Amino acid sequence: EAGVTQFPSHSVIEKGQTVTLRCDPISGHDNLYWYRRVMGKEIKFLLHFVKESKQDESGMPNNRFLAERTGGTYSTLKVQPAELEDSGVYFCASSQDTRPNTEAFFGQGTRLTVV
Amino acid sequence: ELKVEQNPLFLSMQEGKNYTIYCNYSTTSDRLYWYRQDPGKSLESLFVLLSNGAVKQEGRLMASLDTKARLSTLHITAAVHDLSATYFCAVDRRSGGSNYKLTFGKGTLLTVNP
């Protein structure tokens, strides 16, 4: 069974440009999460989808970030316009159920570098 | 606000030695995870600790949880080079309704030297 996959694995863009990250969760997983790790800091929660609905977007840094999950399958995270402080590794995770049943499985992350 | 602190953040050890990574968290939670990450790879779940006093072991790694002290430990026994990786602890917390989200520590970069 395929795990959580993320595209691209690396992205280098200039400040002011737009980047779109994609996450394909494990098939059948209704819950999809985005997290981010800025260099040297903790991995921080960004938002949580249940199917196509945003359940919690309290971790989204600002309105330059837009996450979508049309149809409840894959998700995209768009950063527009990108700023230097957006650099980091963006992780996606999925789970079949929220607690208490299962844990979340993570993708390999997308390393975003804004120059 | 829930805070999770790991220490040490960097750990260089020799093969064959033992060491412990500590994870403290600031508010009540009863579910703690340990993850391993190799460079460029996904976070791999190592242990899920569900209750006070829980102890789990897999190979050279053993994790424990003390919910009263809000402390988890990851003990490494007779380290080998293959254990070199970054280790994260994470605590989950209700974010509303039946939804939960993970709060992570900064990670411990472990390097095992021959």
Side-chain angles (χ1 to χ4, degrees):
Chain A
E1 179 181 341
V4 178
T5 54
Q6 293 186 243
F7 306 95
S9 56
H10 295 86
S11 180
V12 181
I13 61 171
E14 292 184 350
K15 176 182 172 182
Q17 288 187 320
T18 298
V19 63
T20 300
L21 314 180
R22 172 170 168 149
C23 169
D24 285 70
I26 293 172
S27 178
H29 282 195
D30 288 341
N31 294 276
L32 187 148
Y33 307 83
W34 283 98
Y35 288 83
R36 174 175 78 168
R37 187 186 192 200
V38 173
M39 181 69 73
K41 301 285 184 70
E42 302 89 342
I43 299 172
K44 287 199 169 180
F45 169 85
L46 296 178
L47 87 159
H48 170 209
F49 284 98
V50 175
K51 297 184 180 179
E52 66 275 7
S53 298
K54 292 177 186 175
Q55 290 295 110
D56 181 353
E57 50 185 330
S58 60
M60 294 287 265
N62 51 60
N63 59 10
R64 295 185 293 103
F65 289 75
L66 175 64
E68 295 180 321
R69 192 183 182 196
T70 307
T73 54
Y74 71 90
S75 175
T76 58
L77 179 65
K78 181 192 290 187
V79 185
Q80 179 182 30
E83 298 289 344
L84 299 179
E85 64 264 25
D86 301 332
S87 295
V89 181
Y90 291 76
F91 292 100
C92 175
S94 72
S95 69
Q96 188 168 20
D97 297 294
T98 53
R99 284 171 112 249
N101 296 323
T102 61
E103 62 191 275
F105 296 87
F106 282 78
Q108 84 281 10
T110 294
R111 180 174 295 278
L112 174 64
T113 304
V114 183
V115 297
Chain B
E1 181 185 349
L2 173 60
K3 292 190 183 299
V4 179
E5 293 193 2
Q6 268 181 256
N7 69 84
L9 299 183
F10 300 93
L11 178 54
S12 180
M13 55 191 298
Q14 284 188 309
E15 282 190 328
K17 298 292 186 182
N18 304 332
Y19 210 85
T20 300
I21 300 171
Y22 298 88
C23 176
N24 289 87
Y25 54 97
S26 60
T27 63
T28 301
S29 178
D30 57 3
R31 187 160 162 136
L32 188 138
Y33 298 82
W34 283 97
Y35 289 93
R36 168 182 172 147
Q37 188 192 21
D38 293 289
K41 301 290 181 64
S42 62
L43 277 76
E44 173 193 356
S45 178
L46 294 174
F47 301 107
V48 182
L49 302 172
L50 299 177
S51 60
N52 187 41
V55 177
K56 290 193 174 181
Q57 183 163 5
E58 181 72 34
R60 300 174 187 274
L61 301 178
M62 183 174 72
S64 66
L65 177 62
D66 181 342
T67 58
K68 293 180 181 179
R70 298 176 186 165
L71 170 68
S72 180
T73 61
L74 180 66
H75 187 72
I76 303 156
T77 302
V80 293
H81 180 70
D82 286 352
L83 289 180
S84 298
T86 300
Y87 293 83
F88 294 93
C89 67
V91 175
D92 77 354
R93 181 186 184 197
R94 189 189 297 267
S95 61
S98 60
N99 299 316
Y100 289 81
K101 61 185 178 185
L102 293 172
T103 300
F104 284 84
K106 288 187 176 182
T108 297
L109 177 59
L110 171 65
T111 304
V112 181
N113 303 303

